[in-house]
Amino acid sequence: MRNAYPGLTLLLAVGLVACSEPTETVISGSEETTSGAVDALQEATQEAASTPQMAAQEALNVEISLGSAVKRLCSSVLVGGRAIEHVMAQELSNASAAGVDFTFSIDGDLVTGAGAGQTVQALYREHLGCTLVKNTSVEVLQAQFDPALYPEKPAASDAEWPLGDSVVLPAALPGVDLDAINAAVDQAFEDIEPNQNINTRAVLVIHEGKIIAEQYAEPFNAQMPQLGWSMTKTVTAALSGMLVEEGIFDVDAPPGIPEWQSADDPRRQITLENLLQMSSGLEYSEVYTAGSMSDVILMLYTTGDTAAYAVDQPLAQEPGSTFYYSSGTTNIIARTHRQAFDGFQEYFNFPQERLFSKLGMRSAVIEPDASGTFVGSSYMYATPRDWAKIGLLYLQDGRWNGEQILPEGWVDYSVTPSSSADQGQYGIQLWLNAGAPDDPADRPLPNLPANTYYLSGFEGQNVVVVPDHDLIVVRMGVTTSGPRPIWQLTESVLDAVSQGAQ
């Protein structure tokens, strides 16, 4: 997609209050901001900037709003292969002028957003996707990586998925109520609540290692990569397992964060397992409400080094004592990976060499920040079929086509609840359904088996694995309000598989 729109310039007036005009767009944007940054900016612009503090707050809101929009526009078009007009109408819609107008341009590999005296840019690099140009330059980013030295991706194959690209949906399956499954898939594209705008873009059902149902909403299709948001965390954990197996890291030991090495710094006791289980004890706010200006928002859109932002947080609880979901924690892990390699090129090649190529994944892209660290919390694109392969790898205990890809025992370790998760809801960068230690019936998803586990991302990205029934359900889309369709979908599919097997 590098030269899909060479020389194209797109100018759009963007305001910050909701309206019904289809030609004007809002800076909506990204995993951890969406309406929060927009609403905060609206509030700020409605009042006169009568103090330096208010002016600084308004400038920060503009920076976040511009950054979230530029990043999403760049990735959606140049990585996802979508039409600019569709991105603007979908993710960046519903606003009009309110004193702050933004303009955007796409010129080759560079996306620029400007307004209120600020300019934000994102650079597209082949195999690496889009990176916000923060505290660096385009030239420095380009020098980090030579796409000619990237591993050759697997060739297309006529073999049946998952070893190849051929998918022929069955008309019937012994022991499976396929009509009920197809009806459940259809329903996943319909609003659960009136006027919800469920915006489901892809659904796959995989049973006994084969795709038995698959559906997309136009213009999405099986070849179009989609953003998994926090499903990326599970991929980061898989890569961690490989480095643990090589002896580079020990889950029971601190990973050697340079900033924490002072003898009187209590953070130096945080282990890799604490980071992987979201129990580091670091002070951090993963809040997406309007005007929150939470750590996750500031981390993603005001700094070029996401891990450094998270590393700088003080200790709030004893490590290992408290579960708190933190994207910053995952980006610290991603930086420890980078620091284990001799240079950027070797680090950038690692996921493709050791994971994606092994699974026949040609679409996967993990995007780095400006420091050269993968945003392992949030920024992986892949087709829904390739996302499904991550779930299938875990379902197969880390084995693929006769080869042990993940270390033996890593999947069991990953689906073991953290002692800090009071409902047994979290393992190693993976959501669980195990239930409370003293009451397994007290679990997040009581209608699904206790050994169900799942990848989960913002706006309703999910890969749900139900081992008891050799079942995987994938749903991707942009649901910004109301119930997520994945749970009704999974329960219906599970009923169809269970009833058919009786």
Side-chain angles (χ1 to χ4, degrees):
M1 293 303 303
R2 183 174 183 178
N3 295 312
Y5 299 95
L8 173 66
T9 298
L10 172 71
L11 296 178
L12 294 160
V14 178
L16 297 160
V17 294
C19 80
S20 59
E21 291 294 327
T23 58
E24 296 182 330
T25 56
V26 67
I27 300 305
S28 172
S30 50
E31 175 169 16
E32 332 289 320
T33 71
T34 317
S35 61
V38 174
D39 292 344
L41 180 54
Q42 179 182 343
E43 293 169 7
T45 55
Q46 286 174 343
E47 299 182 36
S50 58
T51 67
Q53 292 83 0
M54 291 178 64
Q57 181 66 50
E58 181 178 342
L60 181 62
N61 285 323
V62 170
E63 179 183 8
I64 291 169
S65 296
L66 270 175
S68 64
V70 167
K71 172 65 179 62
R72 195 149 194 175
L73 182 62
C74 181
S75 297
S76 297
V77 173
L78 299 180
V79 180
R82 293 168 57 195
I84 295 168
E85 295 77 11
H86 189 261
V87 179
M88 299 307 300
Q90 291 280 314
E91 285 89 340
L92 307 180
S93 63
N94 301 323
S96 64
V100 178
D101 289 336
F102 293 162
T103 62
F104 297 93
S105 66
I106 299 181
D107 187 1
D109 293 340
L110 194 64
V111 178
T112 303
Q118 296 192 43
T119 299
V120 176
Q121 292 185 312
L123 176 69
Y124 170 79
R125 290 174 287 176
E126 186 179 7
H127 306 305
L128 296 183
C130 292
T131 297
L132 285 175
V133 184
K134 288 282 186 179
N135 305 317
T136 189
S137 67
V138 168
E139 292 74 21
V140 168
L141 292 178
Q142 289 172 330
Q144 288 177 345
F145 174 71
D146 184 351
L149 300 179
Y150 196 72
E152 184 177 355
K153 294 188 177 183
S157 169
D158 292 333
E160 186 177 7
W161 189 94
L163 299 182
D165 302 309
S166 176
V167 173
V168 178
L169 298 179
L173 282 174
V176 174
D177 188 345
L178 196 57
D179 288 340
I181 289 176
N182 289 328
V185 170
D186 289 341
Q187 184 63 43
F189 288 80
E190 302 294 331
D191 288 355
I192 299 173
E193 295 178 345
N195 303 314
Q196 182 185 12
N197 188 23
I198 201 77
N199 206 355
T200 294
R201 293 174 170 177
V203 171
L204 281 74
V205 178
I206 296 92
H207 183 51
E208 296 181 347
K210 297 182 179 182
I211 297 174
I212 63 170
E214 182 178 33
Q215 188 170 318
Y216 298 90
E218 291 290 342
F220 298 91
N221 56 52
Q223 289 73 47
M224 185 174 288
Q226 297 191 41
L227 180 55
W229 293 121
S230 287
M231 295 202 300
T232 311
K233 292 178 170 72
T234 306
V235 176
T236 299
L239 298 171
S240 296
M242 297 175 183
L243 296 175
V244 168
E245 184 180 38
E246 292 179 9
I248 296 173
F249 297 109
D250 179 348
V251 295
D252 296 320
I257 306 299
E259 295 91 335
W260 297 347
Q261 295 312 301
S262 173
D264 60 353
D265 192 333
R267 298 174 299 179
R268 69 195 303 249
Q269 302 302 319
I270 297 172
T271 66
L272 177 57
E273 181 173 86
N274 295 151
L275 295 169
L276 288 166
Q277 292 182 339
M278 300 288 187
S279 61
S280 69
L282 292 173
E283 183 177 295
Y284 193 86
S285 57
E286 188 100 3
V287 179
Y288 314 139
T289 55
S292 66
M293 293 296 99
S294 71
D295 288 317
V296 67
I297 293 172
L298 296 172
M299 177 186 70
L300 289 175
Y301 301 111
T302 69
T303 176
D305 191 336
T306 55
Y309 181 96
V311 162
D312 195 43
Q313 303 308 304
L315 201 65
Q317 291 94 23
E318 180 183 353
S321 67
T322 305
F323 169 75
Y324 185 81
Y325 186 79
S326 162
S327 290
T329 294
T330 311
N331 290 330
I332 294 173
I333 296 169
R335 194 184 71 169
T336 67
H337 294 181
R338 177 173 64 80
Q339 293 172 337
F341 289 87
D342 291 336
F344 288 116
Q345 187 77 42
E346 186 180 355
Y347 169 66
F348 289 150
N349 290 358
F350 173 56
Q352 187 66 50
E353 287 178 339
R354 294 291 302 279
L355 181 62
F356 301 148
S357 288
K358 300 284 188 180
L359 274 56
M361 295 171 64
R362 297 191 302 277
S363 70
V365 171
I366 309 178
E367 299 175 314
D369 63 22
S371 77
T373 296
F374 288 127
V375 185
S377 65
S378 312
Y379 286 164
M380 177 171 147
Y381 273 78
T383 64
R385 289 180 183 178
D386 277 351
W387 277 114
K389 289 182 179 183
I390 300 297
L392 188 57
L393 176 68
Y394 272 72
L395 181 59
Q396 295 175 166
D397 198 24
R399 293 184 64 81
W400 194 268
N401 196 26
E403 181 180 0
Q404 189 72 41
I405 306 299
L406 300 180
E408 289 190 15
W410 186 258
V411 172
D412 285 343
Y413 175 58
S414 298
V415 300
T416 299
S418 164
S419 60
S420 64
D422 57 359
Q423 251 192 327
Q425 74 270 33
Y426 207 77
I428 300 298
Q429 304 283 291
L430 197 63
W431 290 96
L432 312 179
N433 195 38
D438 57 350
D439 183 10
D442 178 19
R443 59 183 188 265
L445 305 168
N447 294 332
L448 296 179
N451 64 348
T452 299
Y453 55 89
Y454 54 101
L455 291 68
S456 182
F458 181 68
E459 296 177 337
Q461 323 311 317
N462 287 105
V463 176
V464 180
V465 181
V466 187
D468 286 349
H469 296 274
D470 202 353
L471 179 68
I472 298 170
V473 182
V474 178
R475 184 273 179 183
M476 306 193 76
V478 178
T479 301
T480 57
S481 65
R484 302 298 191 253
I486 184 63
W487 306 122
Q488 178 178 315
L489 169 65
T490 302
E491 289 177 21
S492 297
V493 169
L494 183 59
D495 286 345
V497 171
S498 301
Q499 292 174 6
Q502 292 176 356

